[in-house]
Amino acid sequence: MFPSDPVLTVLLCAAAYLAGSVLFALPVCQLLKLPDPRAQGSGNPGATNVYRTGGWPPALLTLALDAAKGWLPVWLAHAAGLSVMVQAVVALFAVTGHMIPIFYRFKGGKGVATALGAGLALAPVTTLLMAAIWMLVIWRWRISALASLIAIVCGPLISAFLEPETLPLFGLLALLIVVRHRNNLIRLAQGREAGL
């Protein structure tokens, strides 16, 4: 199925990528006079690494902003009446922007928070169940990478039953985020992955 408004689709995809390319961990840390997260801990510009250096308030702010940049473009695509397929493509552009941001020499983060925001806009039931799985794993093992990997791998399975029209999106997100966590997978296998 082709989008009903190809020009709007292209504009939203471009806007989603540019929004995704803003790594909010960096301005949050600058504003709060915290160390650059790329030079601390895991080196990842995301909420978990901000938590390790600055605690919960800056981490939650980073999480909210990174999720918002995934949510807003998808919500705009939905409000414009574009198809679920187009909304899913817009979501992928936002997550890809976070992973390979044009503003930071294409060196970005893992994309989990941005995927959370995009998923809440497109498939809230699936995404909330994934978030619940993430929280359960964090509560049991306190390892963010493990929680993210388990939650994202469960995404396609959940969406297949509850919101099947979004299955391709969650399948691609799972692939992208698992690949992005390849170093974490090695450390998990070796028992060296850092916890919270």
Side-chain angles (χ1 to χ4, degrees):
M1 180 173 60
F2 292 98
S4 57
D5 191 334
V7 174
L8 181 58
T9 298
V10 170
L11 289 174
L12 282 172
C13 287
Y17 173 76
L18 292 174
S21 291
V22 179
L23 304 179
F24 280 107
L26 306 184
V28 166
C29 287
Q30 289 174 349
L31 179 66
L32 299 178
K33 299 184 177 1
L34 296 172
D36 187 329
R38 296 171 298 180
Q40 304 290 324
S42 67
N44 182 56
T48 299
N49 207 31
V50 171
Y51 166 76
R52 293 187 180 115
T53 59
W56 281 115
L60 290 175
L61 179 58
T62 300
L63 174 66
L65 291 170
D66 278 346
K69 72 186 184 185
W71 177 85
L72 182 59
V74 178
W75 180 84
L76 289 172
H78 173 76
L82 299 178
S83 68
V84 170
M85 180 193 73
V86 172
Q87 294 173 51
V89 171
V90 171
L92 287 171
F93 269 87
V95 175
T96 302
H98 184 85
M99 291 180 173
I100 47 173
I102 193 171
F103 303 132
Y104 302 99
R105 299 181 181 180
F106 305 106
K107 296 179 180 178
K110 305 289 177 61
V112 175
T114 307
L116 169 68
L120 285 172
L122 182 59
V125 176
T126 297
T127 305
L128 287 172
L129 286 172
M130 291 167 62
I133 291 168
W134 187 93
M135 288 187 286
L136 284 171
V137 177
I138 279 289
W139 173 76
R140 176 62 180 83
W141 287 285
R142 297 191 61 78
I143 300 175
S144 180
L146 179 64
S148 296
L149 286 165
I150 291 176
I152 200 65
V153 168
C154 288
L157 302 175
I158 297 169
S159 68
F161 286 100
L162 300 180
E163 294 168 306
E165 68 277 10
T166 64
L167 175 58
L169 170 65
F170 285 102
L172 287 171
L173 286 176
L175 178 62
L176 287 172
I177 291 175
V178 168
V179 169
R180 202 67 176 175
H181 280 79
R182 58 191 180 277
N183 291 331
N184 303 87
L185 283 167
I186 294 170
R187 290 193 294 270
L188 284 166
Q190 296 172 342
R192 298 189 297 108
E193 180 65 20
L196 293 178

